[in-house]
Amino acid sequence: MATSGNNSRITDIEPWYIPMDILRIVGPGGPQDNYEVQKSGQPRRVNSDLKRIQYQDSLCVFRAYINYSMTVIQNHSYNLQAIYRYVIVVYPTRIFWQSHRFQLFLIIITWIFGLIAFIPFLFTDYIRYNVENQICQAPIRFSFAIIYVALVIYIIPNMILNIIYLKLVRYVRQMNKRITSANVLSRAERELKMVRNIVTISTILVILGLPYAIFILMSFFTTIPQYHFRIAFIFIDISTTASMIALFKTTDTIKAAAVQTVTELVTIIAQMNT
């Protein structure tokens, strides 16, 4: 390994670096992907890998902070949708809870929480530049920072979502046992289906995020692979594609809109050829 100017270092790279870097750029969501905002630094990483340069740019730590914050907001947005569906079914007479004003209030609270939750990381050494992976993240090891990340980003949001889903399932089952009007029961089952779709998408993200979780657990007891972040984020990028497919398959309105769009395009092309 050699050293060059501007605190950068020249090092050997693995042959799979460049293909994976390019794949992450052209993958779904692009640089604006909420689940992995680190993609905004991906072109820089490709350039660094091509030139075999390891260099921490001035926005590296800030991108990591935004990455954590946006992931928290995204995961809790699933909870907001589930809570809204739950209120519609369980508390149909609480109109204020279903109002746009109250929902906007919850959204604002979610954003404030997401942006505040990781502010301390900006002013401590919790976020560090990982040379081998050319990324700024909380180091995966037994520490307060990584446990905090796991709890706030993954464990707590998913626990809340699954609790809401299970409570809604139980409530709808009780409705089936009682004398309930067909319209009310149909609406409850429709809202339950929507929450189930949300849980499905969240579960896909969790499953494909398992490599990240496994590396965290491994770090408590042994040394983890050198390129753990590169490996973990490949699976996270795949989860974005999988969740988009699941969203398309499970949401009738999206499927209907897609079919309508394709039909209109086919009609326009047919008219142009006649």
Coordinates of all heavy atoms in Angstrom, one line a residue, residues 30-97:
G30 N -31.5 4.4 -7.5 CA -30.4 5.3 -7.8 C -29.9 6.0 -6.6 O -30.0 5.6 -5.5
P31 N -29.3 7.2 -6.8 CA -28.7 7.9 -5.7 C -29.7 8.4 -4.7 O -29.4 8.7 -3.6 CB -28.0 9.1 -6.4 CG -27.8 8.7 -7.7 CD -28.9 7.8 -8.1
Q32 N -31.0 8.4 -5.1 CA -32.0 8.9 -4.1 C -32.7 7.8 -3.3 O -33.7 8.0 -2.6 CB -33.1 9.7 -4.9 CG -32.7 11.0 -5.4 CD -31.8 10.9 -6.6 OE1 -32.0 10.1 -7.5 NE2 -30.8 11.8 -6.7
D33 N -32.2 6.6 -3.4 CA -32.8 5.5 -2.7 C -32.8 5.8 -1.2 O -31.7 5.9 -0.6 CB -31.9 4.2 -3.0 CG -32.6 3.0 -2.5 OD1 -33.3 3.0 -1.4 OD2 -32.5 1.9 -3.1
N34 N -33.9 5.8 -0.6 CA -34.0 6.1 0.8 C -33.3 5.1 1.7 O -32.8 5.4 2.8 CB -35.5 6.2 1.3 CG -36.1 7.5 0.8 OD1 -35.4 8.5 0.5 ND2 -37.4 7.6 0.8
Y35 N -33.4 3.9 1.3 CA -32.9 2.8 2.2 C -31.4 2.8 2.2 O -30.8 2.3 3.2 CB -33.4 1.5 1.7 CG -33.4 0.4 2.8 CD1 -34.4 0.4 3.7 CD2 -32.3 -0.5 2.9 CE1 -34.4 -0.5 4.7 CE2 -32.3 -1.4 3.9 CZ -33.4 -1.4 4.8 OH -33.4 -2.3 5.8
E36 N -30.7 3.4 1.2 CA -29.3 3.4 1.3 C -28.8 4.7 0.6 O -28.3 4.7 -0.5 CB -28.8 2.2 0.5 CG -27.5 1.6 1.2 CD -26.3 2.2 0.5 OE1 -25.9 1.7 -0.5 OE2 -25.8 3.1 1.1
V37 N -28.9 5.8 1.3 CA -28.5 7.1 0.8 C -27.0 7.1 0.5 O -26.5 8.0 -0.2 CB -28.9 8.2 1.8 CG1 -28.5 9.6 1.3 CG2 -30.4 8.2 2.0
Q38 N -26.2 6.2 1.0 CA -24.8 6.2 0.7 C -24.5 6.0 -0.8 O -23.4 6.3 -1.2 CB -24.1 5.0 1.4 CG -24.1 5.1 3.0 CD -23.0 6.2 3.4 OE1 -22.3 6.7 2.6 NE2 -23.0 6.4 4.7
K39 N -25.6 5.7 -1.5 CA -25.4 5.6 -3.0 C -25.0 7.0 -3.6 O -24.4 7.0 -4.7 CB -26.7 5.1 -3.7 CG -26.9 3.6 -3.6 CD -28.1 3.3 -4.3 CE -28.4 1.8 -4.3 NZ -29.6 1.4 -5.0
S40 N -25.3 8.0 -2.9 CA -25.0 9.4 -3.4 C -23.5 9.5 -3.5 O -23.0 10.3 -4.3 CB -25.5 10.4 -2.5 OG -25.0 10.3 -1.2
G41 N -22.7 8.7 -2.8 CA -21.3 8.7 -2.8 C -20.7 7.6 -3.7 O -19.5 7.4 -3.8
Q42 N -21.6 6.8 -4.3 CA -21.2 5.7 -5.1 C -20.3 6.0 -6.3 O -19.3 5.4 -6.5 CB -22.4 4.9 -5.5 CG -22.1 3.4 -6.0 CD -21.6 2.6 -4.8 OE1 -21.8 2.9 -3.6 NE2 -20.8 1.6 -5.1
P43 N -20.7 7.0 -7.1 CA -19.8 7.4 -8.2 C -18.4 7.7 -7.7 O -17.4 7.4 -8.4 CB -20.5 8.6 -8.9 CG -21.9 8.4 -8.5 CD -21.9 7.8 -7.2
R44 N -18.3 8.4 -6.6 CA -17.0 8.7 -6.0 C -16.3 7.5 -5.7 O -15.1 7.4 -5.8 CB -17.2 9.6 -4.8 CG -15.9 10.1 -4.2 CD -16.2 10.8 -2.9 NE -17.1 11.9 -3.0 CZ -16.7 13.2 -3.3 NH1 -15.4 13.4 -3.5 NH2 -17.5 14.1 -3.5
R45 N -17.0 6.5 -5.1 CA -16.4 5.2 -4.7 C -15.9 4.5 -6.0 O -14.8 3.8 -5.9 CB -17.4 4.4 -4.0 CG -16.8 3.1 -3.4 CD -17.8 2.3 -2.6 NE -18.4 3.1 -1.6 CZ -19.6 2.8 -1.0 NH1 -20.2 1.8 -1.4 NH2 -20.1 3.6 -0.1
V46 N -16.7 4.5 -7.1 CA -16.2 3.8 -8.3 C -14.9 4.5 -8.8 O -14.0 3.8 -9.1 CB -17.3 3.9 -9.4 CG1 -16.7 3.4 -10.7 CG2 -18.5 3.2 -9.0
N47 N -14.9 5.8 -8.7 CA -13.7 6.5 -9.2 C -12.5 6.1 -8.3 O -11.4 5.9 -8.8 CB -13.9 8.0 -9.1 CG -12.7 8.8 -9.6 OD1 -12.3 8.7 -10.7 ND2 -12.1 9.6 -8.7
S48 N -12.7 6.0 -7.0 CA -11.7 5.7 -6.0 C -11.2 4.3 -6.2 O -10.0 4.0 -6.2 CB -12.1 5.9 -4.6 OG -12.5 7.2 -4.3
D49 N -12.2 3.4 -6.5 CA -11.8 2.0 -6.7 C -11.0 1.8 -8.0 O -10.0 1.1 -8.1 CB -13.0 1.1 -6.8 CG -13.6 0.8 -5.4 OD1 -12.8 1.0 -4.4 OD2 -14.7 0.4 -5.3
L50 N -11.4 2.5 -9.1 CA -10.7 2.5 -10.3 C -9.3 3.0 -10.2 O -8.3 2.4 -10.8 CB -11.4 3.3 -11.4 CG -12.7 2.7 -12.0 CD1 -13.5 3.7 -12.8 CD2 -12.4 1.4 -12.8
K51 N -9.1 4.0 -9.4 CA -7.8 4.6 -9.2 C -7.0 4.0 -8.0 O -5.9 4.4 -7.7 CB -7.9 6.1 -9.0 CG -8.4 6.9 -10.3 CD -8.5 8.4 -10.0 CE -9.1 9.1 -11.3 NZ -9.2 10.5 -11.0
R52 N -7.7 3.1 -7.4 CA -7.1 2.4 -6.2 C -6.8 3.4 -5.1 O -5.7 3.3 -4.5 CB -5.9 1.6 -6.6 CG -6.2 0.5 -7.6 CD -5.0 -0.4 -7.8 NE -3.8 0.3 -8.2 CZ -2.6 -0.1 -8.0 NH1 -2.3 -1.3 -7.5 NH2 -1.5 0.6 -8.4
I53 N -7.7 4.4 -4.9 CA -7.4 5.4 -3.9 C -8.5 5.2 -2.8 O -9.7 5.1 -3.1 CB -7.6 6.8 -4.5 CG1 -6.5 7.0 -5.6 CG2 -7.5 7.9 -3.5 CD1 -6.7 8.3 -6.4
Q54 N -8.0 5.3 -1.6 CA -8.9 5.3 -0.4 C -8.8 6.7 0.2 O -7.7 7.1 0.7 CB -8.4 4.2 0.6 CG -8.6 2.8 0.0 CD -8.0 1.8 0.9 OE1 -7.1 2.1 1.7 NE2 -8.4 0.5 0.7
Y55 N -9.9 7.4 0.2 CA -9.9 8.8 0.6 C -11.3 9.1 1.2 O -12.3 8.9 0.7 CB -9.7 9.7 -0.6 CG -9.8 11.2 -0.2 CD1 -8.8 11.8 0.6 CD2 -10.8 11.9 -0.7 CE1 -8.9 13.1 0.9 CE2 -10.9 13.3 -0.4 CZ -9.9 13.9 0.4 OH -10.0 15.2 0.7
Q56 N -11.3 9.7 2.4 CA -12.5 10.1 3.1 C -12.8 11.6 2.7 O -12.1 12.5 3.1 CB -12.3 10.0 4.6 CG -13.6 10.5 5.4 CD -13.4 10.4 6.9 OE1 -12.4 9.9 7.4 NE2 -14.3 11.0 7.6
D57 N -13.9 11.8 1.9 CA -14.2 13.1 1.5 C -15.0 13.8 2.7 O -15.4 13.2 3.7 CB -15.1 13.1 0.3 CG -16.5 12.4 0.5 OD1 -16.5 11.2 0.4 OD2 -17.4 13.1 0.9
S58 N -15.1 15.1 2.6 CA -15.6 15.9 3.7 C -17.1 15.6 4.0 O -17.5 15.9 5.2 CB -15.5 17.4 3.3 OG -16.2 17.7 2.1
L59 N -17.9 15.1 3.1 CA -19.3 14.8 3.4 C -19.5 13.3 3.8 O -20.7 12.9 3.9 CB -20.1 15.2 2.1 CG -20.2 16.6 1.8 CD1 -21.0 16.8 0.5 CD2 -20.7 17.5 2.9
C60 N -18.5 12.6 3.9 CA -18.7 11.1 4.2 C -19.5 10.9 5.4 O -20.4 10.1 5.4 CB -17.3 10.5 4.3 SG -17.3 8.7 4.3
V61 N -19.1 11.5 6.5 CA -19.8 11.3 7.8 C -21.2 11.8 7.7 O -22.2 11.2 8.2 CB -19.0 12.0 9.0 CG1 -19.9 12.0 10.2 CG2 -17.7 11.4 9.2
F62 N -21.4 13.0 7.0 CA -22.8 13.5 6.9 C -23.7 12.6 6.1 O -24.8 12.4 6.4 CB -22.7 14.9 6.3 CG -24.1 15.5 6.1 CD1 -24.7 16.1 7.3 CD2 -24.7 15.6 4.9 CE1 -25.9 16.7 7.2 CE2 -25.9 16.2 4.8 CZ -26.6 16.8 5.9
R63 N -23.1 12.0 5.1 CA -23.9 11.0 4.3 C -24.3 9.8 5.1 O -25.4 9.3 5.0 CB -23.1 10.5 3.0 CG -23.1 11.5 1.9 CD -22.8 10.8 0.6 NE -21.5 10.1 0.7 CZ -20.3 10.6 0.4 NH1 -20.2 11.9 0.1 NH2 -19.3 9.8 0.5
A64 N -23.4 9.4 6.0 CA -23.8 8.3 6.9 C -24.9 8.7 7.8 O -25.9 7.9 8.0 CB -22.6 7.8 7.7
Y65 N -24.9 9.9 8.3 CA -25.9 10.4 9.2 C -27.3 10.4 8.5 O -28.3 10.0 9.0 CB -25.6 11.8 9.7 CG -26.7 12.6 10.2 CD1 -27.4 12.3 11.4 CD2 -27.2 13.7 9.4 CE1 -28.5 13.1 11.8 CE2 -28.3 14.4 9.8 CZ -28.9 14.1 11.0 OH -30.0 14.9 11.3
I66 N -27.2 11.0 7.2 CA -28.5 11.0 6.4 C -29.0 9.6 6.1 O -30.2 9.3 6.1 CB -28.2 11.8 5.1 CG1 -27.9 13.3 5.4 CG2 -29.4 11.7 4.2 CD1 -29.1 14.0 6.1
N67 N -28.1 8.7 5.8 CA -28.4 7.3 5.6 C -29.2 6.7 6.8 O -30.3 6.1 6.6 CB -27.2 6.5 5.3 CG -27.4 5.0 5.2 OD1 -28.5 4.6 4.6 ND2 -26.5 4.2 5.6
Y68 N -28.6 6.9 8.0 CA -29.3 6.4 9.1 C -30.7 7.0 9.4 O -31.7 6.4 9.6 CB -28.4 6.6 10.4 CG -27.2 5.7 10.5 CD1 -26.0 6.2 10.9 CD2 -27.3 4.4 10.2 CE1 -24.8 5.4 11.0 CE2 -26.2 3.5 10.2 CZ -24.9 4.1 10.6 OH -23.8 3.3 10.7
S69 N -30.7 8.4 9.2 CA -31.9 9.1 9.5 C -33.0 8.7 8.5 O -34.2 8.5 8.9 CB -31.6 10.6 9.4 OG -30.7 11.0 10.4
M70 N -32.7 8.7 7.2 CA -33.7 8.3 6.2 C -34.2 6.9 6.4 O -35.4 6.6 6.1 CB -33.1 8.5 4.8 CG -32.8 10.0 4.4 SD -34.3 11.0 4.4 CE -34.1 11.9 6.0
T71 N -33.3 6.0 6.8 CA -33.8 4.6 7.0 C -34.8 4.5 8.2 O -35.8 3.8 8.1 CB -32.6 3.7 7.3 OG1 -31.6 3.9 6.2 CG2 -33.0 2.3 7.3
V72 N -34.5 5.3 9.2 CA -35.4 5.4 10.4 C -36.8 5.9 9.9 O -37.8 5.3 10.2 CB -34.8 6.2 11.5 CG1 -35.9 6.5 12.6 CG2 -33.6 5.6 12.2
I73 N -36.7 7.0 9.2 CA -38.0 7.6 8.7 C -38.7 6.6 7.8 O -40.0 6.5 7.9 CB -37.7 8.9 8.0 CG1 -37.1 9.9 8.9 CG2 -38.9 9.4 7.2 CD1 -36.6 11.2 8.3
Q74 N -38.0 5.9 6.9 CA -38.7 5.0 6.0 C -39.4 3.9 6.8 O -40.5 3.5 6.6 CB -37.7 4.4 5.0 CG -38.3 3.3 4.2 CD -37.3 2.7 3.2 OE1 -36.8 3.4 2.3 NE2 -37.1 1.4 3.3
N75 N -38.6 3.3 7.7 CA -39.2 2.1 8.5 C -40.3 2.6 9.3 O -41.3 1.8 9.5 CB -38.1 1.5 9.3 CG -37.0 0.8 8.5 OD1 -37.3 0.5 7.3 ND2 -35.9 0.4 9.1
H76 N -40.3 3.8 9.9 CA -41.4 4.2 10.7 C -42.6 4.7 9.9 O -43.7 4.8 10.3 CB -41.0 5.3 11.7 CG -40.3 4.8 12.9 ND1 -41.0 4.1 13.9 CD2 -39.0 4.8 13.3 CE1 -40.1 3.8 14.9 NE2 -38.9 4.2 14.5
S77 N -42.3 5.0 8.6 CA -43.4 5.3 7.7 C -44.3 4.1 7.5 O -45.5 4.3 7.3 CB -42.9 5.8 6.4 OG -42.3 4.8 5.6
Y78 N -43.7 2.9 7.5 CA -44.6 1.7 7.4 C -45.5 1.6 8.7 O -46.6 1.3 8.5 CB -43.7 0.5 7.4 CG -42.8 0.4 6.2 CD1 -41.5 -0.2 6.2 CD2 -43.2 0.9 4.9 CE1 -40.7 -0.2 5.1 CE2 -42.4 0.8 3.8 CZ -41.1 0.2 3.9 OH -40.3 0.2 2.8
N79 N -44.9 2.0 9.8 CA -45.8 2.0 11.0 C -46.9 3.0 11.0 O -48.0 2.7 11.4 CB -44.9 2.3 12.3 CG -43.9 1.2 12.5 OD1 -44.1 0.0 12.1 ND2 -42.8 1.5 13.2
L80 N -46.6 4.2 10.4 CA -47.7 5.2 10.3 C -48.8 4.7 9.4 O -50.0 4.9 9.7 CB -47.1 6.5 9.6 CG -46.1 7.3 10.5 CD1 -45.7 8.6 9.8 CD2 -46.7 7.6 11.9
Q81 N -48.5 4.0 8.3 CA -49.5 3.5 7.4 C -50.3 2.4 8.2 O -51.5 2.3 8.0 CB -48.9 2.9 6.2 CG -48.2 3.9 5.3 CD -47.5 3.3 4.1 OE1 -48.1 2.6 3.3 NE2 -46.2 3.4 4.0
A82 N -49.6 1.5 8.9 CA -50.3 0.5 9.7 C -51.2 1.0 10.7 O -52.3 0.6 11.0 CB -49.2 -0.5 10.2
I83 N -50.7 2.1 11.4 CA -51.5 2.7 12.5 C -52.7 3.3 11.9 O -53.8 3.2 12.5 CB -50.6 3.8 13.2 CG1 -49.5 3.1 14.1 CG2 -51.5 4.7 14.1 CD1 -48.5 4.1 14.6
Y84 N -52.6 4.0 10.8 CA -53.8 4.6 10.1 C -54.8 3.5 9.8 O -56.0 3.7 10.0 CB -53.3 5.3 8.9 CG -54.5 5.9 8.1 CD1 -55.2 7.0 8.5 CD2 -54.9 5.3 6.8 CE1 -56.2 7.6 7.8 CE2 -55.9 5.9 6.1 CZ -56.6 7.0 6.6 OH -57.6 7.5 5.9
R85 N -54.4 2.4 9.2 CA -55.3 1.3 8.9 C -55.9 0.7 10.2 O -57.1 0.4 10.2 CB -54.6 0.2 8.1 CG -53.8 0.7 6.9 CD -54.7 1.1 5.8 NE -54.0 1.7 4.7 CZ -54.5 2.2 3.6 NH1 -55.8 2.2 3.5 NH2 -53.8 2.7 2.6
Y86 N -55.1 0.6 11.2 CA -55.6 0.1 12.5 C -56.7 1.0 13.1 O -57.8 0.5 13.5 CB -54.5 -0.1 13.4 CG -54.8 -0.7 14.8 CD1 -54.9 -2.1 15.0 CD2 -55.1 0.2 15.9 CE1 -55.3 -2.6 16.2 CE2 -55.4 -0.4 17.1 CZ -55.5 -1.7 17.3 OH -55.9 -2.3 18.5
V87 N -56.5 2.3 13.0 CA -57.5 3.2 13.6 C -58.8 3.1 12.8 O -59.9 3.2 13.3 CB -56.9 4.6 13.5 CG1 -58.0 5.7 13.8 CG2 -55.8 4.8 14.5
I88 N -58.7 3.0 11.4 CA -59.9 3.0 10.6 C -60.8 1.8 11.0 O -62.0 1.9 11.1 CB -59.5 2.8 9.1 CG1 -58.9 4.2 8.6 CG2 -60.7 2.4 8.3 CD1 -58.4 4.1 7.2
V89 N -60.1 0.7 11.3 CA -60.9 -0.6 11.7 C -61.3 -0.6 13.1 O -62.5 -0.8 13.4 CB -60.0 -1.8 11.4 CG1 -60.7 -3.1 11.8 CG2 -59.7 -1.9 9.9
V90 N -60.4 -0.3 14.0 CA -60.7 -0.4 15.5 C -61.5 0.8 16.0 O -62.3 0.7 16.9 CB -59.4 -0.7 16.2 CG1 -59.7 -0.9 17.7 CG2 -58.7 -1.9 15.7
Y91 N -61.1 2.0 15.5 CA -61.7 3.2 16.1 C -62.3 4.0 14.9 O -61.9 5.2 14.6 CB -60.7 4.1 16.8 CG -60.0 3.4 17.9 CD1 -58.7 2.9 17.8 CD2 -60.6 3.1 19.1 CE1 -58.1 2.2 18.8 CE2 -60.0 2.5 20.2 CZ -58.7 2.0 20.0 OH -58.1 1.4 21.0
P92 N -63.3 3.5 14.2 CA -63.9 4.2 13.1 C -64.6 5.5 13.4 O -64.8 6.3 12.5 CB -64.9 3.1 12.5 CG -65.3 2.3 13.7 CD -64.0 2.2 14.5
T93 N -65.0 5.7 14.6 CA -65.7 6.9 15.0 C -64.7 8.0 15.4 O -65.2 9.2 15.6 CB -66.7 6.6 16.2 OG1 -65.9 6.1 17.3 CG2 -67.7 5.6 15.8
R94 N -63.5 7.7 15.6 CA -62.5 8.7 15.9 C -62.0 9.4 14.7 O -61.0 9.1 14.1 CB -61.3 8.1 16.7 CG -61.6 7.3 17.9 CD -62.2 8.2 19.0 NE -62.6 7.4 20.2 CZ -61.7 7.0 21.2 NH1 -60.5 7.4 21.1 NH2 -62.2 6.3 22.2
I95 N -62.9 10.4 14.2 CA -62.6 11.0 12.9 C -61.3 11.8 12.9 O -60.6 11.9 12.0 CB -63.8 11.9 12.6 CG1 -65.1 11.1 12.6 CG2 -63.6 12.6 11.2 CD1 -65.1 10.0 11.6
F96 N -61.0 12.5 14.1 CA -59.8 13.3 14.1 C -58.6 12.5 13.9 O -57.6 12.9 13.3 CB -59.8 14.0 15.5 CG -58.5 14.9 15.7 CD1 -58.3 16.0 14.9 CD2 -57.5 14.4 16.5 CE1 -57.2 16.8 15.1 CE2 -56.4 15.2 16.7 CZ -56.2 16.4 15.9
W97 N -58.6 11.3 14.5 CA -57.4 10.4 14.3 C -57.2 10.0 12.9 O -56.1 9.7 12.5 CB -57.6 9.1 15.2 CG -57.5 9.4 16.7 CD1 -57.3 10.6 17.3 CD2 -57.5 8.4 17.7 NE1 -57.3 10.5 18.6 CE2 -57.4 9.2 18.9 CE3 -57.6 7.1 17.7 CZ2 -57.4 8.5 20.2 CZ3 -57.6 6.4 19.0 CH2 -57.5 7.1 20.2

